[in-house]
Amino acid sequence: MGCNCQKTPTEQDVKKIAELDQYIDSLLAGTSDERRSGFLIQILHRAQSLFGFLSEETQKHVSEKLRIPVAEIYGVISFYSYFTDKPVGRYKINVCTGTACFVKGAAKVLEEFKRNLGIQEGETTGDGRFFLGGLRCVGACSLAPVVMVNDRVYGNVTAEKVAEILAECKE
Amino acid sequence: MRIESPEFLKDAAAKYNSVTPPPVEILVSMGTCGIAAGTGNVLKAIYDEISAKHLENSFGVREVGCMGLCYAEPVIMTIDHSTGKQTIYGKVTREQIPAILSGRAGETSECYVIPRNWYYPEFETPAEGEIQARIVLRNTGRMNPEKIEQYIANGGYSALGKAVTTMTPQEVIDTISASGLRGRGGGGFPTGRKWQFAADQKSDEKFIICNADEGDPGAFMDRAVLEGDPHSVLEAMAIGGYAIGAHTGVIYIRAEYPLAVKRLEIAIRQAEELGLLGKNIMGSGFDFNIQIKFGAGAFVCGEETALIHSIEGHRGEPTVKPPFPAVQGLWKKPSVVNNVETYACIAAIIRKGAEWFRTIGTEGAPGTKVFALAGKVAKVGLVEVPMGTTLRQIIYDIGAGIKNNRQFKAVQTGGPSGGCITKANLDLPIDYEALKAIGSMMGSGGMIVMDEDNCMVDIAKFFLEFTLDESCGKCTPCRIGNRRMYEMLEEITDGRGTVATLEKLKILSRTIKDTALCGLGQTSPNPVLSTMANFEDEYLAHVKEGRCPAGACSKLIHFQITDRCVGCGICLRNCPANCITGERRARHVIDQDKCVKCGACFNACKFHAVERV
């Protein structure tokens, strides 16, 4: 994968930044200075969905727009599990770590993903294809154990089904 | 159109109700788990069948929220308006749709018809001889959540109309106080008293906040309400705003619930269009608006002070109370924070009165409670029962007992703050105090059933791992104490623990309970303490004999193949670690060094030749 800190933003990035700015401006209209921070989490959600992760540049950009110190923004990003400041794989595999899934054997499913992909929780494979992580309860407990691959939910997953799920993640 | 008065609302409801429904209505359960189970395909098949056979005049389709029959998703329900007959079909496939629509489904054995007595959506007061009653879930699974007309037709927003035009704010608070409603998020604090505190504050600005950060793993009732009946929450927040003198409502919702967010946004827009939110609601002069704020994956944000910090865009760390949010909350203004399920009770109480509400449930805890029944129970789903119902009624009468004829071992309530309840307490009528007395708690209503294959030490370790992950790190007992507890539990499940480890665990548990800053830390030792109290023999088996009675702790078990093996090779093919060898028709062998102890061979063997010891 290598380093992702491109010095010259691509045309696509410029477009995304413009989209983010527009979103921020629409939120901030009519908001007093001390309440600007109330939109921070919403803005970070949008930025992450646009760029895939929250790079240092993105954090600086948001900091300037909102007039909130970067340190504070980084504090928020590192606190909430939804945000990441590192690029993640194209296929985000998240094994539900909720109680119902645990009781029904989610730990074994996670083990099997780790073994098959050769990575630990929170890591991305060398080819940038798969990210493996845990997910807080998605509330689909009747389908436990549950695995989410990007936005798709797989229910009643067993260790035996892991290879099948990975095979479905084609380019 | 703008609804300008309660009379106008009544006329609108009458108008919506006077529309002749199609002869047969098909309700399709479109909640998150229904969609994940394939309801979308079923819905498409229904539309295809209707248009292919030109049945537009005979059938109407209604997309509804979760019906609570999660184990049987995809679920659809047909209502024949000529006879009043209602039929619920579970585990529906596309192929069954033609049979169901032609009315022949009852005759073909492939269709799974769910008996009526497992589902009582229309009774707000429990019917004679029934266990379930639906106040919170009164519209969920019955109504299209994206159509405000259906909510209005069902009496929706009439409670708001009644409150803002015929009652004073104090009368609203008195009604809620008299009803005895207590917080359904877990703590059980009287809702009326909370509102009174905020109402008594003098301030230029106040807030009504809805806590929709349903973080307890295994609890999904709030999601079901938000996805299936979002207006009931909006209406209640507006009533609360009127009562305490707030003009802004904020819903704090977790980012893991995209469908609930979408339905809330639609609901807010529709209510604003009709003037049921916004300026001068129903001609009363009362203004109220609602905004949505998002969480970003932090369990501690369910704690009200942490939640408020998160709305303000900060790290969601709790702060010491007092000051309580009712005095100094969001942006330092008086704020009321209630949970989704609590709000979902409000409109019904205003409409039907405090007296009616008190007839349901127990003396100390009137009303109903929604439980998310999950784990090893046969019928996973959402149930709503009056307070005081026993666990046996919930697990056996509604949940149909344990899956695969296994033995019941324990039920866990209260999430990571709660405890495990054993067979001995199955007949205890449950409410806030009763659960606390046996070392657990109500919590938000997650109920995870466990069978003999679940190791209680392992379960305690699981919850502690969750707390570790979610601890915000602000106070030492929670940040470091729980880490040490986790390490001790790991020693036990790895077979390195001693009797002294158990003693140390108890001491540290008590210290953390006494000294942690917020509810998360103070209750984090509960799963350990309750499993130690109820399943001491299991802990002792680990530390004294190096044995896991449930066969769940992988370091303490191994698999071996006995001479019952016929050499069919199914274990070999199922083994993910390729550690089984053997010639065809000869006894196979497991390489213990390579075995990952996943149990795939154990489950696959048809001859019971694989032993777990």
Side-chain angles (χ1 to χ4, degrees), chain B residues 29 65-71 73 119 134 137 140-141 380-383:
Chain B
S29 170
C66 173
M67 295 189 201
L69 300 160
C70 309
Y71 74 97
E73 294 285 4
Y119 183 63
R134 301 212 166 201
L137 301 175
T140 304
V380 171
L382 216 50
V383 302

Side-chain angles (χ1 to χ4, degrees), chain A:
Chain A
M1 279 298 284
C3 174
N4 253 60
C5 46
Q6 297 149 328
K7 290 288 174 247
T8 45
T10 63
E11 198 179 314
Q12 213 186 358
D13 282 339
V14 174
K15 234 189 226 163
K16 285 178 184 169
I17 292 169
E19 195 185 327
L20 182 65
D21 284 351
Q22 203 184 1
Y23 179 70
I24 296 175
D25 294 337
S26 72
L27 288 178
L28 293 185
T31 308
S32 64
D33 275 3
E34 72 266 27
R35 292 197 184 174
R36 284 170 166 258
S37 64
F39 294 104
L40 176 62
I41 289 177
Q42 234 161 309
I43 290 167
L44 292 176
H45 271 300
R46 176 60 71 95
Q48 184 160 303
S49 81
L50 281 170
F51 299 103
F53 70 107
L54 299 164
S55 67
E56 227 179 290
E57 284 75 29
T58 312
Q59 295 176 36
K60 274 186 197 150
H61 186 79
V62 173
S63 153
E64 279 158 25
K65 289 291 283 185
L66 283 171
R67 294 203 288 273
I68 296 173
V70 180
E72 239 170 77
I73 292 181
Y74 179 72
V76 167
I77 292 172
S78 60
F79 183 83
Y80 296 96
S81 65
Y82 226 75
F83 297 132
T84 168
D85 57 353
K86 288 183 195 68
V88 293
R90 283 190 296 286
Y91 291 98
K92 287 186 268 299
I93 301 169
N94 279 300
V95 181
C96 178
T97 54
T99 321
C101 289
F102 174 78
V103 167
K104 288 201 175 168
K108 281 181 187 164
V109 173
L110 183 63
E111 275 310 312
E112 182 55 18
F113 272 113
K114 282 188 195 165
R115 210 189 55 79
N116 200 310
L117 295 172
I119 51 173
Q120 293 299 309
E121 231 182 308
E123 292 179 358
T124 295
T125 51
D127 59 359
R129 204 159 142 202
F130 296 106
F131 165 83
L132 180 62
L135 181 75
R136 294 167 0 113
C137 182
V138 287
C141 304
S142 59
L143 304 171
V146 169
V147 171
M148 265 184 104
V149 179
N150 292 342
D151 287 334
R152 182 159 174 207
V153 176
Y154 290 86
N156 301 315
V157 180
T158 55
E160 291 80 29
K161 282 192 193 163
V162 163
E164 235 171 87
I165 293 175
L166 290 175
E168 279 183 39
C169 300
K170 299 244 172 63
E171 294 304 314

Side-chain angles (χ1 to χ4, degrees), chain B residues 188-227:
Chain B
F189 192 83
T191 307
R193 207 184 301 163
K194 209 181 229 184
W195 288 17
Q196 187 73 60
F197 282 144
D200 291 343
Q201 303 299 314
K202 300 262 176 292
S203 174
D204 57 335
E205 197 180 16
K206 293 179 187 176
F207 294 99
I208 280 281
I209 299 171
C210 172
N211 182 351
D213 187 57
E214 185 171 52
D216 267 11
F220 47 92
M221 63 285 297
D222 292 351
R223 195 206 74 208
V225 171
L226 295 167
E227 285 178 4

Side-chain angles (χ1 to χ4, degrees), chain B residues 45-268:
Chain B
I46 294 172
Y47 282 126
D48 288 350
E49 176 75 7
I50 290 176
S51 78
K53 300 207 173 135
H54 307 291
L55 301 169
E56 287 83 359
N57 294 326
S58 322
F59 291 96
V61 177
R62 200 192 297 177
E63 294 174 35
V64 300
C66 173
M67 295 189 201
L69 300 160
C70 309
Y71 74 97
E73 294 285 4
V75 178
I76 67 173
M77 176 178 188
T78 57
I79 304 176
D80 185 334
H81 286 289
S82 59
T83 58
K85 188 170 184 248
Q86 304 182 347
T87 316
I88 307 174
Y89 302 93
K91 303 186 174 153
V92 179
T93 61
R94 311 173 55 98
E95 292 72 31
Q96 294 170 345
I97 296 301
I100 292 173
L101 262 60
S102 63
R104 287 182 287 106
E107 301 150 26
T108 59
S109 55
E110 297 100 75
C111 291
Y112 171 46
V113 177
I114 296 171
R116 280 292 291 144
N117 60 345
W118 282 346
Y119 183 63
Y120 297 98
E122 58 265 42
F123 306 132
E124 285 192 358
T125 314
E128 189 64 34
E130 306 301 359
I131 308 169
Q132 298 198 62
R134 301 212 166 201
I135 298 174
V136 172
L137 301 175
R138 59 192 181 275
N139 296 316
T140 304
R142 298 288 293 176
M143 192 193 78
N144 186 331
E146 299 183 12
K147 296 207 163 135
I148 193 171
E149 311 88 75
Q150 295 188 5
Y151 183 69
I152 291 174
N154 220 356
Y157 288 103
S158 63
L160 176 62
K162 180 180 174 186
V164 296
T165 59
T166 68
M167 297 166 85
T168 63
Q170 190 56 51
E171 281 168 353
V172 174
I173 295 176
D174 291 343
T175 306
I176 299 301
S177 296
S179 75
L181 176 65
R182 295 170 63 180
R184 298 292 194 249
F189 192 83
T191 307
R193 207 184 301 163
K194 209 181 229 184
W195 288 17
Q196 187 73 60
F197 282 144
D200 291 343
Q201 303 299 314
K202 300 262 176 292
S203 174
D204 57 335
E205 197 180 16
K206 293 179 187 176
F207 294 99
I208 280 281
I209 299 171
C210 172
N211 182 351
D213 187 57
E214 185 171 52
D216 267 11
F220 47 92
M221 63 285 297
D222 292 351
R223 195 206 74 208
V225 171
L226 295 167
E227 285 178 4
D229 190 18
H231 286 287
S232 71
V233 176
L234 305 185
E235 182 180 5
M237 288 176 73
I239 293 170
Y242 176 73
I244 70 158
H247 300 289
T248 308
V250 181
I251 300 174
Y252 181 83
I253 186 165
R254 62 196 294 241
E256 285 90 340
Y257 287 174
L259 185 64
V261 171
K262 182 187 142 208
R263 295 203 172 140
L264 272 173
E265 283 169 345
I266 293 172
I268 292 173

Side-chain angles (χ1 to χ4, degrees), chain B residues 393-550:
Chain B
Q393 286 175 303
I394 297 171
I395 296 168
Y396 285 89
D397 295 349
I398 305 175
I402 312 301
K403 239 183 188 160
N404 306 328
N405 288 323
R406 307 291 291 173
Q407 285 295 312
F408 169 88
K409 185 168 186 178
V411 55
Q412 211 276 349
T413 67
S417 310
C420 290
I421 301 164
T422 60
K423 219 180 264 177
N425 286 313
L426 275 180
D427 289 310
L428 186 81
I430 47 175
D431 63 12
Y432 298 96
E433 279 71 28
L435 285 176
K436 219 175 252 174
I438 55 172
S440 187
M441 65 181 277
M442 182 73 84
S444 56
M447 211 174 245
I448 314 274
V449 178
M450 295 167 207
D451 68 10
E452 53 206 313
D453 292 337
N454 293 120
C455 165
M456 302 320 278
V457 188
D458 198 30
I459 295 288
K461 195 173 89 175
F462 163 78
F463 279 112
L464 219 58
E465 190 179 356
F466 181 88
T467 316
L468 269 186
D469 238 25
E470 297 297 342
S471 169
C472 75
K474 185 170 175 170
C475 74
T476 319
C478 182
R479 184 183 66 243
I480 298 176
N482 279 326
R483 167 72 60 188
R484 293 290 94 84
M485 295 241 311
Y486 180 79
E487 287 164 0
M488 287 183 216
L489 286 170
E490 207 164 38
E491 271 173 34
I492 299 172
T493 56
D494 285 359
R496 292 178 284 121
T498 61
V499 180
T501 319
L502 300 184
E503 205 41 51
K504 275 196 276 180
L505 255 183
K506 272 187 203 159
I507 297 170
L508 186 53
S509 292
R510 275 185 234 116
T511 314
I512 295 174
K513 268 180 98 92
D514 290 344
T515 53
L517 177 65
C518 79
L520 175 72
Q522 285 156 13
T523 56
S524 61
N526 284 358
V528 178
L529 288 174
S530 92
T531 48
M532 280 180 100
N534 291 320
F535 298 94
E536 199 186 359
D537 49 340
E538 220 167 299
Y539 276 85
L540 288 174
H542 282 77
V543 295
K544 280 189 173 165
E545 303 161 39
R547 186 172 64 84
C548 173

